[in-house]
Amino acid sequence: MSERAWPYGLSLGIGLGAAAFIFGWPVLAGTAAFWDNPHGIVGSSAADMMSSLSGYDVFVRDQWRWPLLRVEGLGGPGGTNIAYTDSLPFLALVGRGLYRLTGEAPVLYGLWIAACFMLLTGAMVALVRALGGRSLGAAVATSLISVSLPPLLARWGHITLLAQGLIPLTVLAYLHVVRGMRVWAGLALLMALCIAALLTSPYLFFMAVPIAFAALLQAAGTRQTGWGTAVLRSGALAAALLVALIVTGHLSGDGFA
């Protein structure tokens, strides 16, 4: 492993090891009996997790509809949108693809848990390195602190909110944009991160979006780009996010009554 890559490999290993130590490999693989009646350590987490799994299972087996995340098998008689059942739309889309290929509806939430731990440690180490902390001690300390954060431990039970790594990743993108990243590449990166947050949880989406717009405006403020370019990029980002909200049905009001 190259000198530049090893801190990330170390951080990802710590994230995966922490997830395996806390939950065990069968839970992460989706084969444990835990997934028959999942629950966390926060109040009402059992109901929240069953709502997530129910929306996921119905979506995976359903046909394509408009808006993209709408299902008919829940929220009868009119159906609902799995964005409102906390069913991790990104994961549900992957699950539907696998179901179409194999005829099986795999439980992917265990892999999601492992990925979230790894995303957070990797993103935090990348952010710390971008800010100047490039030592082995910084990578180890950052990784250990990351896997100890409340959303991963004390607030366990809200599966969508495990993806906290999207926020430091968006802050990292902010740094690259204000430091002179190519104009449209920076916009594409921020769009991708905001849409990824939208397909994960509205809470994360509303945290990522202000950071993205701040990056575009700050780049103009520090004269990396002109204000005209900043306004144009901000408008393009707003338009892309509006389209994503319409396509996914977040603005449809198709929630549970």
Side-chain angles (χ1 to χ4, degrees):
M1 187 177 293
S2 70
E3 184 176 346
R4 292 183 63 182
W6 68 259
Y8 303 111
L10 175 65
S11 67
L12 295 177
I14 290 175
L16 179 59
F21 177 77
I22 295 168
F23 298 100
W25 292 111
V27 171
L28 300 184
T31 59
F34 169 82
W35 293 111
D36 295 332
N37 184 26
H39 57 279
I41 60 176
V42 295
S44 75
S45 63
D48 290 343
M49 293 177 75
M50 288 307 296
S51 173
S52 298
L53 286 169
S54 297
Y56 169 86
D57 191 65
V58 171
F59 181 85
V60 164
R61 300 172 190 275
D62 199 10
Q63 60 183 324
W64 295 107
R65 301 183 186 277
W66 178 264
L68 180 63
L69 303 180
R70 180 176 173 76
V71 292
E72 296 283 326
L74 289 175
T80 190
N81 190 309
I82 63 162
Y84 300 114
T85 62
D86 258 356
S87 297
L88 271 168
F90 167 78
L91 204 65
L93 289 167
V94 174
R96 177 177 282 184
L98 292 174
Y99 180 74
R100 293 290 188 274
L101 290 173
T102 66
E104 300 289 335
V107 177
L108 299 177
Y109 285 90
L111 294 177
W112 170 260
I113 292 170
C116 286
F117 273 73
M118 296 169 70
L119 174 65
L120 183 57
T121 54
M124 288 295 289
V125 166
L127 180 57
V128 168
R129 286 175 63 80
L131 293 171
R134 297 179 172 271
S135 67
L136 172 63
V140 172
T142 300
S143 298
L144 293 176
I145 291 171
S146 298
V147 297
S148 304
L149 292 178
L152 273 62
L153 299 180
R155 295 291 300 168
W156 159 244
H158 299 299
I159 299 181
T160 56
L161 297 182
L162 291 178
Q164 295 292 316
L166 285 170
I167 304 308
L169 206 58
T170 308
V171 174
L172 180 64
Y174 168 96
L175 287 177
H176 285 307
V177 169
V178 300
R179 288 175 177 178
M181 187 176 186
R182 285 186 299 174
V183 172
W184 298 108
L187 174 62
L189 177 59
L190 292 170
M191 279 183 182
L193 288 169
C194 289
I195 292 173
L198 178 66
L199 292 174
T200 302
S201 167
Y203 295 105
L204 297 176
F205 176 71
F206 283 113
M207 286 189 275
V209 168
I211 299 172
F213 280 105
L216 299 179
L217 297 175
Q218 183 68 21
T222 56
R223 298 185 178 179
Q224 295 293 340
T225 62
W227 283 106
T229 299
V231 170
L232 183 62
R233 288 200 296 176
S234 296
L237 177 59
L241 297 182
L242 179 59
V243 169
L245 286 164
I246 293 171
V247 169
T248 55
H250 279 79
L251 303 181
S252 67
D254 258 343
F256 286 114

